[in-house]
Amino acid sequence: MRLRPFLDLPPRSSLLLGAAVAIAAAVATVAITTATRRPAPAPQARPSALAPEPQLVRYRHPIAAADGAADPDLDGEIAALEARIRVPAPSPLDLTELAELHLRRARLTGDPADHAAAEAAARRSLELLPSPNGAVLVLAKLASTRHEFPRAIELARKHKQGTSMGALMVLATSHLALGQLADASAAAEALVEQQPDASSYLMRALVLQAQGRDPEAAFDFARAAAADEPGDVQEPARLRALWARFLVRRGELAGARLVIDEALRIAPGHPLALAQDGELLLRTGRAKEASARFEQAFAASRQVRYLIDQARAQELAGDRPGADRLRAQVEKLVRPELTEGGLGHRLELAEVLIDRGAPADLTEAAALAREEVARRPSADARFQLARALARTGNPGEASRQVHAALALGAREAQLYELAARLEQQRGNAARSALYAREADRLDPGASGWRKAGLP
Amino acid sequence: MTRRAALLVAVAGALAARTASAHPLDLGYLRIDAAGPALTATLDLDASAAAHLLGTGPSTLDAQALRERAAELADATIRRGELMTELGACRWKRASAELRARTASLVLEAVCPSGARTLRWPMPFVSGPRVASTFQLLVKARLGGAEQVTTVDRGAPELVLSQDSRPGFAQFVWSGIEHIGAAPGEWHDDDGWKLPDGLDHILFLLALMLAGGTVLRLVGIASGFTLGHSITLALSGLGVVRPPASVIEPVIALSIALVAAQAFLGKEERRRWQVAAAFGLVHGFGFAGALGELELSTPELVTALFGYNAGVELGQVAIVCVVAPLILLLQRRPALHHAVVRVLSAAICVAGMYWFVQRLVG
């Protein structure tokens, strides 16, 4: 083709040609960047089977102002019982009741002194009356709080052969924590059969969620909400926060938004609801807002978990140095507990070390996660171990851990994303694509959050 | 998945009708916001920890009592140590407290000496008998626009915060390179290719250079642009002149369109370096926007300006090094060069006009 006719174009034609080139260039640029970039988070076109009914989400009772003290009579009751047991031969029933009151106050305040007092009273009661004695259930609950789940199970089974409401709740919680889902399910079913109230339905919903039985879990979350009682709003808010967590993780983002908004309407500063709001914002590409929400959740609860989430959101918002500074502080907060033999934050420390990603950190993280899997082989622990192994160049073992987590019924977008990458590394393209599709389905926002901290 | 740990903690406490945190007495959160002489400190503690500090029963502290005893709680906690700066002590103003579920939130306001850059704040209460031996206070402070995170505990019971921990010269240089769009991260990220934020400056330079000339002339154009934007970057950075972005951004867009139109029409070829300098004055105000957010003091600003300007220059050199050889090569075929100038300058003019309208109507 000859160029000269084009080169001799008059100015006006050149201008028109230039405008046409500009428009074509703009269209081409948009097309190329759209094709190469991930799509912006898209709203869900139609509700899924898990989508909640708005009328079931709504808290139907009046919302009382939460200005009162936790339990003003509790201190008085404890004081009265302590006076009563100061006799040479105190009643084992009084001791058991005292243990229960201390435990109740410990649940409200978290005071370790109350935990210790509850344990001391319960043990003393059992010395006087080995069986039947409700004090064994107090010890079971204490063991559960301390994450001594096998011990908690052993003790709970001693209380009315593990058939009381309290024992069943401990059994369901502890088996769930250990990844023993069949046993957790049995305990949860027995709970609902004995007392079909909000807490029983909620427990069963959580077990079903862990098993990957999503429609049934969705049903039970709704049943739990329907069984709301008037009065304290913290429990209804917590229920909705847990429900929203389930929906967020299953990619039902519109439903999650509905439920979270209701939780925050009921209890505006509820930390778990704030954290789920943060999670939802993160999954829809609003990392900076998510970071602020996690910070609010931390301020309202001082749970280290939310700092880890905040650091992740900060990094996704582009502030890697700020995220690492925060991770350094998280490490400083949780290490003393580990050196003193505490177990509660081991997995969280592993998670922070993996997120930071330095070679020495990853080696330590793998060791911590291995210990946690040995003690508590839950899907969560296996996922963290898989992350650490994948980043330390051990894809084979990482893959085994991922599949073990999937076999437990875990269905999380990040887990599938990791599975896809590991299969890709091992040359299994078709299987990798399968997992990638599942990850996309569970993460419709596709904002990039799920790649954070993965190899 | 990774939230399961928190879920299990919550579930394990499900026997009571309330949520108990894992270590409620062990962790506090202190946020400090210092803007000029005004300082606000917000301390969040578990309600039972606050009750212990006030010497009342943990389950009996209610919202009314906390509000009434805010000053007492302040004196028992963060107001126990004197808040000092290198220029003298800060003066406390008011204290207020709120109870939100199981969190006691204390807010203190203070006035510190103007221009202070270091805060020294002893926290003896973390070592006191009414606080758990494992108690730790996470501190997040915002001083002079920069955020710092640290921890106070029995091992380190004093908080020291300084505004010296600021971005260094090298970071300002990189900022400048990024702003003009010459950093690789401006063109590509994890999600794929993208257009840099500094595309308007790049197109402006390109439009100036399109008409070609000798190497000296091209260097002159770049230098003229440098001279112009350096002057206004300094004026704006030092706060002498700070026109609003709503005016500057559309004018920058218009400058692109005008320069492109000049190139198209083949006008003012000999005075392009002067045109570059003149419009560089406008672009300099645009570059200054990023520095304004840092709220730097005057000595820091000088460093920042030098660094940032150096970064813009380096970025500019990178762009010129890519574009200039292509233009010099093109000039060997005058007819083709003429056509390319016409077409590209028309395209840039259209882009400039589009941005002008877009930035004008917001």
Side-chain angles (χ1 to χ4, degrees):
Chain A
M1 191 164 87
R2 294 167 67 86
L3 285 176
R4 185 155 288 281
F6 293 98
L7 298 179
D8 288 339
L9 285 173
R12 189 175 300 170
S13 304
S14 295
L15 186 62
L16 289 172
L17 182 61
V21 167
I23 292 166
V27 169
T29 303
V30 168
I32 290 168
T33 52
T34 303
T36 56
R37 287 185 74 79
R38 282 192 173 275
Q44 287 177 277
R46 56 179 175 81
S48 73
L50 306 181
E53 297 286 336
Q55 62 267 30
L56 291 177
V57 172
R58 184 93 180 156
Y59 180 69
R60 303 177 308 279
H61 306 289
I63 299 171
D67 264 359
D71 192 335
D73 298 327
L74 192 52
D75 290 343
E77 288 176 45
I78 289 175
L81 266 171
E82 280 175 344
R84 212 150 81 201
I85 64 163
R86 279 191 214 111
V87 293
S91 157
L93 296 179
D94 283 345
L95 285 164
T96 297
E97 191 181 345
L98 181 62
E100 286 167 351
L101 288 176
H102 272 297
L103 184 63
R104 202 164 97 205
R105 194 163 71 179
R107 289 291 161 82
L108 293 173
T109 67
D111 190 344
D114 274 315
H115 280 123
E119 184 169 12
R123 287 193 187 285
R124 207 169 151 205
S125 175
L126 284 167
E127 280 168 17
L128 295 170
L129 179 65
S131 179
N133 191 337
V136 71
L137 186 59
V138 173
L139 292 178
K141 292 174 186 177
L142 281 168
S144 176
T145 305
R146 291 172 184 150
H147 292 193
E148 295 165 5
F149 299 115
R151 178 88 181 123
I153 289 168
E154 180 194 340
L155 289 165
R157 283 188 180 144
K158 287 182 182 175
H159 188 252
K160 298 184 183 174
Q161 286 86 47
T163 59
S164 67
M165 283 295 295
L168 286 170
M169 191 61 86
V170 172
L171 287 170
T173 305
S174 300
H175 281 303
L176 183 60
L178 291 170
Q180 296 162 353
L181 299 183
D183 294 323
S185 179
E189 290 292 341
L191 264 173
V192 172
E193 215 172 287
Q194 262 200 42
Q195 190 167 316
D197 61 6
S199 61
S200 298
Y201 281 122
L202 175 60
M203 189 71 242
R204 194 168 72 175
L206 294 170
V207 174
L208 289 165
Q209 175 184 350
Q211 290 180 304
R213 293 160 65 180
D214 292 346
E216 295 163 89
F219 184 77
D220 271 355
F221 276 118
R223 290 282 291 272
D228 275 336
E229 295 195 358
D232 174 34
V233 295
Q234 296 298 314
E235 265 310 294
R238 191 173 76 89
L239 154 65
R240 282 159 180 77
L242 292 169
W243 190 1
R245 173 189 304 216
F246 164 68
L247 293 169
V248 165
R249 290 180 176 185
R250 295 301 185 260
E252 174 47 66
L253 303 184
R257 171 50 62 204
L258 184 70
V259 178
I260 290 169
D261 285 349
E262 184 62 8
L264 290 171
R265 185 186 73 87
I266 298 168
H270 196 282
L272 193 55
L274 287 168
Q276 290 318 300
D277 195 15
E279 195 61 45
L280 183 55
L281 289 166
L282 198 63
R283 293 183 188 221
T284 49
R286 294 155 69 181
K288 206 168 172 184
E289 292 169 71
S291 176
R293 213 50 102 242
F294 288 127
E295 185 185 353
Q296 283 176 281
F298 175 73
S301 67
R302 274 97 39 226
Q303 293 270 15
V304 165
R305 164 81 254 154
Y306 302 137
L307 286 179
I308 299 173
D309 294 335
Q310 185 189 344
R312 191 169 290 146
Q314 252 181 286
E315 182 171 355
L316 284 166
D319 182 12
R320 175 70 198 236
D324 280 344
R325 280 195 296 271
L326 192 55
R327 285 170 184 143
Q329 293 310 314
V330 170
E331 188 183 352
K332 205 172 167 190
L333 292 172
V334 305
R335 272 202 190 280
E337 191 205 23
L338 288 180
T339 30
E340 286 165 17
L343 306 172
H345 291 301
R346 179 162 51 193
L347 200 59
E348 281 157 337
L349 178 59
E351 191 175 343
V352 160
L353 294 174
I354 299 168
D355 286 344
R356 212 155 56 188
D361 286 343
L362 291 171
T363 306
E364 186 187 357
L368 286 168
R370 242 186 244 288
E371 286 173 39
E372 189 67 12
V373 168
R375 192 179 72 87
R376 192 167 63 91
S378 64
D380 191 27
R382 290 188 185 281
F383 173 66
Q384 295 305 330
L385 179 55
R387 273 211 310 152
L389 291 167
R391 294 189 69 176
T392 48
N394 200 339
E397 196 186 342
S399 194
R400 281 195 291 280
Q401 293 298 332
V402 163
H403 289 296
L406 289 170
L408 284 173
R411 295 176 56 252
E412 309 285 346
Q414 266 204 314
L415 188 59
Y416 282 112
E417 177 73 29
L418 180 57
R421 288 174 185 220
L422 290 168
E423 293 300 328
Q424 188 70 33
Q425 277 180 36
R426 299 169 75 196
N428 302 327
R431 208 168 182 212
S432 172
L434 168 74
Y435 287 132
R437 273 197 301 276
E438 196 57 25
D440 283 338
R441 202 179 62 76
L442 292 170
D443 177 28
S447 62
W449 69 273
R450 72 175 192 249
K451 294 190 225 170
L454 296 185
Chain B
M1 163 59 71
T2 56
R3 321 295 167 244
R4 188 72 61 85
L7 165 65
L8 291 172
V9 168
V11 168
L15 294 173
R18 292 176 196 278
T19 304
S21 56
H23 302 282
L25 293 182
D26 289 359
L27 205 46
Y29 188 35
L30 177 64
R31 283 163 290 168
I32 301 169
D33 228 298
L39 183 143
T40 305
T42 305
L43 174 66
D44 291 309
L45 289 174
D46 186 83
S48 57
H52 274 302
L53 286 158
L54 289 171
T56 187
S59 51
T60 57
L61 182 70
D62 63 15
Q64 179 66 22
L66 185 62
R67 274 194 290 270
E68 289 167 0
R69 301 177 73 178
E72 193 182 334
L73 183 62
D75 291 337
T77 55
I78 52 181
R79 213 156 60 179
R80 261 181 73 180
E82 196 174 18
L83 178 54
M84 292 293 297
T85 73
E86 78 276 22
L87 300 176
C90 299
R91 184 173 45 87
W92 291 110
K93 289 172 67 182
R94 43 183 234 107
S96 60
E98 256 186 78
L99 186 66
R100 288 192 289 266
R102 293 304 304 164
T103 295
S105 191
L106 174 70
V107 180
L108 286 176
E109 291 174 9
V111 177
C112 296
S114 198
R117 288 172 47 190
T118 303
L119 285 179
R120 193 171 287 275
W121 196 350
M123 304 263 176
F125 86 97
V126 304
S127 309
R130 290 188 170 184
V131 165
S133 60
T134 49
F135 182 81
Q136 292 172 294
L137 188 65
L138 183 71
V139 181
K140 185 175 104 166
R142 183 166 276 276
L143 301 181
E147 200 173 271
Q148 301 174 50
V149 186
T150 188
T151 315
V152 172
D153 55 24
R154 287 195 172 202
E158 191 181 43
L159 181 63
V160 179
L161 299 167
S162 172
Q163 290 189 44
D164 288 323
S165 47
R166 307 307 301 277
F169 182 77
Q171 282 156 300
F172 286 122
V173 171
W174 186 248
S175 249
I177 293 173
E178 283 183 323
H179 192 91
I180 200 170
E186 295 294 305
W187 292 87
H188 190 276
D189 62 16
D190 285 345
D191 291 329
W193 291 98
K194 67 184 186 83
L195 292 175
D197 291 340
L199 182 63
D200 48 357
H201 303 299
I202 293 171
L203 288 183
F204 179 79
L205 264 178
L206 181 61
L208 278 173
M209 294 170 67
L210 265 180
T214 60
V215 171
L216 199 61
R217 187 162 284 171
L218 292 176
V219 168
I221 290 168
S223 302
F225 186 56
T226 298
L227 179 65
H229 75 62
S230 297
I231 292 170
T232 45
L233 175 59
L235 287 174
S236 181
L238 291 168
V240 176
V241 181
R242 268 198 190 154
S246 56
V247 169
I248 289 301
E249 294 297 324
V251 173
I252 287 174
L254 198 58
S255 72
I256 296 167
L258 285 173
V259 162
Q262 279 190 332
F264 180 86
L265 295 170
K267 301 278 185 196
E268 306 292 344
E269 284 201 21
R270 289 182 182 281
R271 297 184 204 163
R272 271 179 288 145
W273 76 267
Q274 290 147 312
V275 171
F279 282 125
L281 291 172
V282 179
H283 285 248
F285 287 124
F287 292 143
L291 286 180
E293 292 169 11
L294 291 178
E295 298 177 12
L296 301 168
S297 65
T298 303
E300 294 166 332
L301 206 45
V302 174
T303 307
L305 280 171
F306 270 114
Y308 192 74
N309 206 26
V312 169
E313 292 327 305
L314 286 171
Q316 196 171 283
V317 164
I319 293 164
V320 169
C321 285
V322 168
V323 172
L326 293 172
I327 291 173
L328 291 170
L329 209 62
L330 207 54
Q331 284 178 146
R332 292 183 190 176
R333 298 184 68 180
L336 180 60
H337 176 233
H338 180 73
V340 167
V341 168
R342 281 268 166 104
V343 169
L344 281 184
S345 57
I348 294 173
C349 185
V350 168
M353 287 310 299
Y354 169 76
W355 279 325
F356 173 67
V357 172
Q358 184 196 45
R359 292 172 185 186
L360 208 58
V361 300

PDB file of all heavy atoms in Angstrom, chain B residues 79-97:
ATOM      1  N   ARG B  79      -3.227   9.067  82.483  1.00  0.00           N
ATOM      2  CA  ARG B  79      -2.899  10.406  82.968  1.00  0.00           C
ATOM      3  C   ARG B  79      -1.996  10.333  84.205  1.00  0.00           C
ATOM      4  O   ARG B  79      -1.612  11.365  84.758  1.00  0.00           O
ATOM      5  CB  ARG B  79      -4.192  11.162  83.309  1.00  0.00           C
ATOM      6  CG  ARG B  79      -4.095  12.649  83.051  1.00  0.00           C
ATOM      7  CD  ARG B  79      -5.402  13.330  82.807  1.00  0.00           C
ATOM      8  NE  ARG B  79      -6.368  13.242  83.876  1.00  0.00           N
ATOM      9  CZ  ARG B  79      -7.565  13.810  83.829  1.00  0.00           C
ATOM     10  NH1 ARG B  79      -7.933  14.498  82.767  1.00  0.00           N
ATOM     11  NH2 ARG B  79      -8.410  13.681  84.815  1.00  0.00           N
ATOM     12  N   ARG B  80      -1.675   9.109  84.608  1.00  0.00           N
ATOM     13  CA  ARG B  80      -0.789   8.961  85.769  1.00  0.00           C
ATOM     14  C   ARG B  80       0.603   9.472  85.473  1.00  0.00           C
ATOM     15  O   ARG B  80       1.281  10.027  86.328  1.00  0.00           O
ATOM     16  CB  ARG B  80      -0.697   7.488  86.196  1.00  0.00           C
ATOM     17  CG  ARG B  80      -1.596   7.145  87.363  1.00  0.00           C
ATOM     18  CD  ARG B  80      -1.458   5.717  87.772  1.00  0.00           C
ATOM     19  NE  ARG B  80      -0.201   5.477  88.452  1.00  0.00           N
ATOM     20  CZ  ARG B  80       0.166   4.286  88.920  1.00  0.00           C
ATOM     21  NH1 ARG B  80      -0.603   3.245  88.727  1.00  0.00           N
ATOM     22  NH2 ARG B  80       1.315   4.137  89.530  1.00  0.00           N
ATOM     23  N   GLY B  81       1.055   9.264  84.239  1.00  0.00           N
ATOM     24  CA  GLY B  81       2.369   9.771  83.861  1.00  0.00           C
ATOM     25  C   GLY B  81       2.221  11.104  83.144  1.00  0.00           C
ATOM     26  O   GLY B  81       1.232  11.320  82.443  1.00  0.00           O
ATOM     27  N   GLU B  82       3.192  11.973  83.302  1.00  0.00           N
ATOM     28  CA  GLU B  82       3.106  13.285  82.675  1.00  0.00           C
ATOM     29  C   GLU B  82       3.493  13.201  81.201  1.00  0.00           C
ATOM     30  O   GLU B  82       4.523  12.627  80.841  1.00  0.00           O
ATOM     31  CB  GLU B  82       4.034  14.278  83.397  1.00  0.00           C
ATOM     32  CG  GLU B  82       3.696  15.714  83.037  1.00  0.00           C
ATOM     33  CD  GLU B  82       4.486  16.741  83.829  1.00  0.00           C
ATOM     34  OE1 GLU B  82       5.524  16.372  84.411  1.00  0.00           O
ATOM     35  OE2 GLU B  82       4.071  17.910  83.844  1.00  0.00           O
ATOM     36  N   LEU B  83       2.676  13.779  80.372  1.00  0.00           N
ATOM     37  CA  LEU B  83       2.923  13.784  78.935  1.00  0.00           C
ATOM     38  C   LEU B  83       3.854  14.939  78.608  1.00  0.00           C
ATOM     39  O   LEU B  83       3.481  16.112  78.740  1.00  0.00           O
ATOM     40  CB  LEU B  83       1.588  13.910  78.195  1.00  0.00           C
ATOM     41  CG  LEU B  83       1.617  13.991  76.671  1.00  0.00           C
ATOM     42  CD1 LEU B  83       2.389  12.834  76.067  1.00  0.00           C
ATOM     43  CD2 LEU B  83       0.197  14.013  76.121  1.00  0.00           C
ATOM     44  N   MET B  84       5.057  14.603  78.183  1.00  0.00           N
ATOM     45  CA  MET B  84       6.089  15.619  77.969  1.00  0.00           C
ATOM     46  C   MET B  84       6.492  15.679  76.499  1.00  0.00           C
ATOM     47  O   MET B  84       6.459  14.683  75.787  1.00  0.00           O
ATOM     48  CB  MET B  84       7.346  15.277  78.784  1.00  0.00           C
ATOM     49  CG  MET B  84       7.169  15.388  80.290  1.00  0.00           C
ATOM     50  SD  MET B  84       6.921  17.099  80.818  1.00  0.00           S
ATOM     51  CE  MET B  84       8.466  17.847  80.331  1.00  0.00           C
ATOM     52  N   THR B  85       6.912  16.852  76.075  1.00  0.00           N
ATOM     53  CA  THR B  85       7.549  17.012  74.773  1.00  0.00           C
ATOM     54  C   THR B  85       8.913  17.651  75.009  1.00  0.00           C
ATOM     55  O   THR B  85       9.219  18.055  76.141  1.00  0.00           O
ATOM     56  CB  THR B  85       6.729  17.915  73.835  1.00  0.00           C
ATOM     57  OG1 THR B  85       6.850  19.276  74.294  1.00  0.00           O
ATOM     58  CG2 THR B  85       5.272  17.515  73.825  1.00  0.00           C
ATOM     59  N   GLU B  86       9.687  17.779  73.953  1.00  0.00           N
ATOM     60  CA  GLU B  86      11.012  18.394  74.111  1.00  0.00           C
ATOM     61  C   GLU B  86      10.899  19.888  74.400  1.00  0.00           C
ATOM     62  O   GLU B  86      11.848  20.536  74.815  1.00  0.00           O
ATOM     63  CB  GLU B  86      11.882  18.138  72.864  1.00  0.00           C
ATOM     64  CG  GLU B  86      11.589  19.012  71.668  1.00  0.00           C
ATOM     65  CD  GLU B  86      10.445  18.490  70.821  1.00  0.00           C
ATOM     66  OE1 GLU B  86       9.610  17.716  71.348  1.00  0.00           O
ATOM     67  OE2 GLU B  86      10.352  18.884  69.638  1.00  0.00           O
ATOM     68  N   LEU B  87       9.660  20.430  74.214  1.00  0.00           N
ATOM     69  CA  LEU B  87       9.450  21.859  74.448  1.00  0.00           C
ATOM     70  C   LEU B  87       8.657  22.120  75.737  1.00  0.00           C
ATOM     71  O   LEU B  87       8.303  23.260  76.020  1.00  0.00           O
ATOM     72  CB  LEU B  87       8.692  22.469  73.254  1.00  0.00           C
ATOM     73  CG  LEU B  87       9.397  22.343  71.908  1.00  0.00           C
ATOM     74  CD1 LEU B  87       8.516  22.891  70.788  1.00  0.00           C
ATOM     75  CD2 LEU B  87      10.729  23.101  71.913  1.00  0.00           C
ATOM     76  N   GLY B  88       8.399  21.054  76.460  1.00  0.00           N
ATOM     77  CA  GLY B  88       7.660  21.243  77.708  1.00  0.00           C
ATOM     78  C   GLY B  88       6.503  20.274  77.842  1.00  0.00           C
ATOM     79  O   GLY B  88       6.261  19.442  76.971  1.00  0.00           O
ATOM     80  N   ALA B  89       5.785  20.413  78.957  1.00  0.00           N
ATOM     81  CA  ALA B  89       4.686  19.473  79.248  1.00  0.00           C
ATOM     82  C   ALA B  89       3.431  19.857  78.487  1.00  0.00           C
ATOM     83  O   ALA B  89       3.197  21.028  78.155  1.00  0.00           O
ATOM     84  CB  ALA B  89       4.396  19.480  80.749  1.00  0.00           C
ATOM     85  N   CYS B  90       2.626  18.844  78.225  1.00  0.00           N
ATOM     86  CA  CYS B  90       1.311  19.079  77.640  1.00  0.00           C
ATOM     87  C   CYS B  90       0.325  19.346  78.769  1.00  0.00           C
ATOM     88  O   CYS B  90       0.529  18.917  79.910  1.00  0.00           O
ATOM     89  CB  CYS B  90       0.845  17.868  76.832  1.00  0.00           C
ATOM     90  SG  CYS B  90       1.940  17.475  75.455  1.00  0.00           S
ATOM     91  N   ARG B  91      -0.728  20.037  78.421  1.00  0.00           N
ATOM     92  CA  ARG B  91      -1.742  20.371  79.431  1.00  0.00           C
ATOM     93  C   ARG B  91      -3.006  19.606  79.106  1.00  0.00           C
ATOM     94  O   ARG B  91      -3.545  19.709  77.998  1.00  0.00           O
ATOM     95  CB  ARG B  91      -1.973  21.888  79.365  1.00  0.00           C
ATOM     96  CG  ARG B  91      -2.922  22.437  80.416  1.00  0.00           C
ATOM     97  CD  ARG B  91      -2.922  23.981  80.360  1.00  0.00           C
ATOM     98  NE  ARG B  91      -3.008  24.505  79.002  1.00  0.00           N
ATOM     99  CZ  ARG B  91      -4.141  24.729  78.341  1.00  0.00           C
ATOM    100  NH1 ARG B  91      -5.307  24.459  78.887  1.00  0.00           N
ATOM    101  NH2 ARG B  91      -4.114  25.228  77.104  1.00  0.00           N
ATOM    102  N   TRP B  92      -3.479  18.858  80.108  1.00  0.00           N
ATOM    103  CA  TRP B  92      -4.699  18.081  79.895  1.00  0.00           C
ATOM    104  C   TRP B  92      -5.920  18.965  79.915  1.00  0.00           C
ATOM    105  O   TRP B  92      -5.998  19.911  80.718  1.00  0.00           O
ATOM    106  CB  TRP B  92      -4.847  17.006  80.975  1.00  0.00           C
ATOM    107  CG  TRP B  92      -3.820  15.920  80.857  1.00  0.00           C
ATOM    108  CD1 TRP B  92      -2.778  15.688  81.702  1.00  0.00           C
ATOM    109  CD2 TRP B  92      -3.701  14.959  79.800  1.00  0.00           C
ATOM    110  NE1 TRP B  92      -2.038  14.619  81.252  1.00  0.00           N
ATOM    111  CE2 TRP B  92      -2.578  14.153  80.086  1.00  0.00           C
ATOM    112  CE3 TRP B  92      -4.444  14.681  78.651  1.00  0.00           C
ATOM    113  CZ2 TRP B  92      -2.177  13.095  79.262  1.00  0.00           C
ATOM    114  CZ3 TRP B  92      -4.038  13.632  77.837  1.00  0.00           C
ATOM    115  CH2 TRP B  92      -2.907  12.857  78.152  1.00  0.00           C
ATOM    116  N   LYS B  93      -6.861  18.629  79.082  1.00  0.00           N
ATOM    117  CA  LYS B  93      -8.119  19.362  79.075  1.00  0.00           C
ATOM    118  C   LYS B  93      -9.212  18.451  79.630  1.00  0.00           C
ATOM    119  O   LYS B  93      -9.313  18.245  80.826  1.00  0.00           O
ATOM    120  CB  LYS B  93      -8.438  19.863  77.667  1.00  0.00           C
ATOM    121  CG  LYS B  93      -7.503  21.008  77.238  1.00  0.00           C
ATOM    122  CD  LYS B  93      -7.643  21.403  75.789  1.00  0.00           C
ATOM    123  CE  LYS B  93      -8.982  22.034  75.472  1.00  0.00           C
ATOM    124  NZ  LYS B  93      -9.101  22.359  74.018  1.00  0.00           N
ATOM    125  N   ARG B  94     -10.024  17.891  78.784  1.00  0.00           N
ATOM    126  CA  ARG B  94     -11.150  17.136  79.336  1.00  0.00           C
ATOM    127  C   ARG B  94     -11.004  15.631  79.120  1.00  0.00           C
ATOM    128  O   ARG B  94     -10.310  15.189  78.220  1.00  0.00           O
ATOM    129  CB  ARG B  94     -12.486  17.614  78.747  1.00  0.00           C
ATOM    130  CG  ARG B  94     -12.452  17.865  77.294  1.00  0.00           C
ATOM    131  CD  ARG B  94     -13.770  18.411  76.788  1.00  0.00           C
ATOM    132  NE  ARG B  94     -14.250  17.583  75.688  1.00  0.00           N
ATOM    133  CZ  ARG B  94     -15.280  16.741  75.785  1.00  0.00           C
ATOM    134  NH1 ARG B  94     -15.964  16.640  76.880  1.00  0.00           N
ATOM    135  NH2 ARG B  94     -15.628  15.998  74.751  1.00  0.00           N
ATOM    136  N   ALA B  95     -11.716  14.921  79.992  1.00  0.00           N
ATOM    137  CA  ALA B  95     -11.760  13.461  79.882  1.00  0.00           C
ATOM    138  C   ALA B  95     -13.220  13.036  79.826  1.00  0.00           C
ATOM    139  O   ALA B  95     -14.061  13.593  80.521  1.00  0.00           O
ATOM    140  CB  ALA B  95     -11.099  12.829  81.103  1.00  0.00           C
ATOM    141  N   SER B  96     -13.475  12.050  78.985  1.00  0.00           N
ATOM    142  CA  SER B  96     -14.833  11.492  78.941  1.00  0.00           C
ATOM    143  C   SER B  96     -14.712  10.002  78.744  1.00  0.00           C
ATOM    144  O   SER B  96     -13.677   9.510  78.258  1.00  0.00           O
ATOM    145  CB  SER B  96     -15.642  12.115  77.798  1.00  0.00           C
ATOM    146  OG  SER B  96     -15.014  11.867  76.558  1.00  0.00           O
ATOM    147  N   ALA B  97     -15.724   9.268  79.151  1.00  0.00           N
ATOM    148  CA  ALA B  97     -15.662   7.810  79.036  1.00  0.00           C
ATOM    149  C   ALA B  97     -17.033   7.265  78.681  1.00  0.00           C
ATOM    150  O   ALA B  97     -18.063   7.827  79.068  1.00  0.00           O
ATOM    151  CB  ALA B  97     -15.178   7.198  80.340  1.00  0.00           C
TER     152      ALA B  97
END
